[in-house]
Amino acid sequence: MTAVSPLPIFALVDCNNFYCSCERVFRPDLATRPVVVLSNNDGCVIARSNEAKALGIAMGAPYFKHRHLLNRTGTAVFSSNYALYGDMSSRVMQVLSMFSPDMEVYSIDEAFLRMDGFRSRNLTGYAQQMREQVRQWTGIPVSVGMGPTKTLAKIASRVCKKTPAFKGVFDMTRYWDSPAAVDRILDTVGVEDVWGVGRRYAAKLAKRGVHTARQLRDLSDEWVRRHMTVVGLHIVLELRGISCIKLEEAPAPRRSIVSSRSFGAPVELRAHAHEAVAAYMTRAAEKLRRESLVAHSVGVFVRTNSFKKEEPQYSNFITRNLARPSDYTPLLLHEGRELLDAIFKDGYRYKKVGVMLAGLESKHGRQGNLLDCLSGETERDGARDALMRATDAINARFGRGTVQFAAGGVKTEWQMRQDFRSPRYTTDWKELAAVR
């Protein structure tokens, strides 16, 4: 007789209101005050504390429309501070990696862990220990949802966030032998909140009268495959406890890198657009080298503000293949400048420019070129690599921008607006928190 394999156990660890929690770590006086974080250029609300949600501030709410409400209620407002959030995320993930050897960093504030090896323990207690360790070492509160599939772990995480009695941990595998209990759980989850369903499928399902996760689970395979493809079928099977979405222990290789920001104020001068392209290209090249990649092509795009109907509109995108794949910033800056000149038109008020590096491949795994050896390019590549390593090392040690290319500008009047940005407490020596 063949033994039945036990169900796998996935845990989703989700940082609570992550951006707001990062701000509170260094501002304990905000522990009970409503907090919101704004998008680039301080445009819209992109993160809310529970207190801000209780005030009725919606996700994506324009700041200028809610300024008076936020002021009247004493809400703390922050510009997005991605240097801080990225570093805090890295610290949280390091702590989580101590609790399971199988882990997938899913996003800046979420990670999946396989917990199969810990099934003999009290899993709820183990997850509580994980929460306390993360909170103690980083200051970030997290919730843990567990289920036999990644989709059900997502649902379990949602349930424990909405039910304070679970104290931040909900183990759905404990209910798996009780179909009625699982049905009740899935009945509380709207189909639009099921991981992977999305707005388009949710609208289609609503037309068929499917409004909950349980109703989606109980659809026929034939209908799901016909109307939601094999991707939808995987979602349904996962809701039934059949694991179809594996843990990705290594991130998928990048295909491109895009670096772009909206301007703080409309840009009309070509010189300012040149500076912005140079700054974004420098940043993209740093990412390229950090991941040991080289790019085969470079692209640049420009765009006016489409919401300003009274102004003339223009957008364009241009790309060019490089003669040799590269990660050398001066070469990429030169290409970016030429591409911008090819599409930039005077007389427009530009809202955004950006760069794209594409055709990425591993720097160390690509095939060599005999002509490069004969022409001396290989030796010159060695000198370029040494220069870039030195530049990156200085900036890593003393802070970004300690050594920079003049093409990126000095005054950078085009920079995006960040009127409420908090200090970069953990990544900039000059902005360390002061202890009194």
Side-chain angles (χ1 to χ4, degrees):
M1 182 176 176
T2 304
V4 178
S5 299
L7 289 170
I9 303 174
F10 292 89
L12 175 69
V13 183
D14 188 0
C15 300
N16 299 341
N17 308 319
F18 180 57
Y19 293 173
C20 297
S21 296
C22 289
E23 301 292 352
R24 280 175 163 167
V25 168
F26 300 92
R27 290 283 307 276
D29 58 302
L30 301 178
T32 57
R33 275 178 61 186
V35 177
V36 299
V37 175
L38 305 178
S39 61
N40 291 342
N41 282 314
D42 298 338
C44 302
V45 173
I46 57 170
R48 307 161 294 162
S49 67
N50 290 339
E51 296 80 4
K53 293 174 186 174
L55 291 173
I57 300 168
M59 187 67 104
Y63 171 64
F64 76 94
K65 284 187 176 179
H66 294 75
R67 183 186 298 120
H68 297 300
L69 171 63
L70 296 171
N71 290 339
R72 191 172 66 249
T73 55
T75 302
V77 178
F78 291 94
S79 304
S80 49
N81 184 347
Y82 294 114
L84 174 65
Y85 308 152
D87 186 68
M88 293 302 293
S89 171
S90 173
R91 292 167 190 242
V92 169
M93 300 307 167
Q94 284 182 26
V95 179
L96 294 179
S97 67
M98 299 169 53
F99 285 85
S100 173
D102 303 312
M103 175 173 145
E104 172 189 346
V105 178
Y106 178 66
S107 66
I108 192 170
D109 61 347
E110 292 177 296
F112 285 104
L113 282 74
R114 281 295 290 260
M115 308 297 283
D116 305 38
F118 307 95
R119 66 176 71 246
S120 61
R121 305 181 60 158
N122 176 347
L123 274 182
T124 300
Y126 191 60
Q128 287 291 1
Q129 182 186 343
M130 188 166 22
R131 290 185 71 233
E132 291 166 10
Q133 195 79 81
V134 173
R135 185 64 181 260
Q136 184 177 7
W137 288 9
T138 69
I140 301 295
V142 301
S143 301
V144 184
M146 290 178 281
T149 67
K150 290 171 79 173
T151 301
L152 291 172
K154 273 268 192 184
I155 287 176
S157 173
R158 180 182 177 83
V159 169
C160 74
K161 279 189 172 182
K162 290 185 171 296
T163 314
F166 290 132
K167 298 180 179 178
V169 175
F170 181 63
D171 181 7
M172 202 165 169
T173 62
R174 295 177 57 191
Y175 299 85
W176 205 248
D177 292 333
S178 172
V182 174
D183 287 351
R184 284 196 295 273
I185 294 169
L186 296 184
D187 273 335
T188 66
V189 180
V191 70
E192 68 278 4
D193 295 322
V194 175
W195 188 39
V197 168
R199 189 177 302 173
R200 187 168 62 88
Y201 280 146
K204 181 179 288 188
L205 290 164
K207 288 181 181 176
R208 187 177 170 78
V210 176
H211 301 286
T212 68
R214 178 187 175 186
Q215 290 174 313
L216 174 60
R217 180 202 64 185
D218 294 339
L219 284 174
S220 73
D221 292 357
E222 181 184 357
W223 188 93
V224 173
R225 184 187 289 274
R226 187 186 313 138
H227 296 279
M228 300 175 67
T229 73
V230 71
V231 174
L233 186 60
H234 283 168
I235 295 171
V236 171
L237 292 175
E238 287 248 322
L239 289 174
R240 295 172 186 166
I242 302 169
S243 178
C244 301
I245 308 172
K246 306 301 181 190
L247 207 64
E248 301 290 343
E249 297 183 24
R254 275 184 186 269
R255 295 182 178 180
S256 63
I257 293 175
V258 176
S259 183
S260 172
R261 293 282 188 281
S262 296
F263 295 127
V267 161
E268 300 178 73
L269 297 178
R270 184 181 295 247
H272 287 171
H274 274 146
E275 290 180 354
V277 165
Y280 300 151
M281 191 68 82
T282 301
R283 179 77 181 117
E286 289 171 355
K287 291 181 182 176
L288 203 62
R289 291 192 293 274
R290 192 163 58 234
E291 299 185 24
S292 299
L293 299 170
V294 289
H296 279 266
S297 71
V298 178
V300 170
F301 62 87
V302 296
R303 188 180 304 157
T304 55
N305 189 347
S306 60
F307 292 98
K308 299 279 188 181
K309 302 296 183 187
E310 70 281 8
E311 295 182 1
Q313 298 294 314
Y314 172 68
S315 65
N316 206 340
F317 173 66
I318 186 172
T319 184
R320 174 190 292 174
N321 289 333
L322 300 174
R324 301 171 67 242
S326 179
D327 62 355
Y328 186 49
T329 300
L331 169 68
L332 299 175
L333 292 178
H334 173 76
E335 297 289 334
R337 185 181 182 85
E338 287 196 347
L339 291 174
L340 177 66
D341 281 336
I343 59 174
F344 189 92
K345 290 185 178 181
D346 294 323
Y348 291 94
R349 288 161 57 83
Y350 292 94
K351 176 67 176 175
K352 194 172 191 175
V353 304
V355 304
M356 184 177 75
L357 302 177
L360 307 187
E361 67 171 357
S362 170
K363 180 171 185 172
H364 305 297
R366 64 195 178 92
Q367 189 171 11
N369 187 330
L370 180 60
L371 294 178
D372 289 345
C373 297
L374 297 175
S375 64
E377 278 297 323
T378 303
E379 290 183 6
R380 284 191 282 275
D381 280 345
R384 292 165 185 153
D385 287 346
L387 175 60
M388 292 297 97
R389 277 198 303 274
T391 302
D392 292 342
I394 291 171
N395 286 333
R397 180 171 181 180
F398 298 104
R400 180 182 297 167
T402 302
V403 176
Q404 62 181 348
F405 292 87
V410 178
K411 292 185 177 179
T412 59
E413 297 170 0
W414 43 270
Q415 285 280 20
M416 69 177 180
R417 193 165 56 244
Q418 287 184 301
D419 293 341
F420 312 106
R421 183 179 65 77
S422 55
R424 292 162 291 198
Y425 297 104
T426 60
T427 57
D428 193 313
W429 287 107
K430 297 187 290 294
E431 299 181 20
L432 287 176
V435 178
R436 298 186 178 90

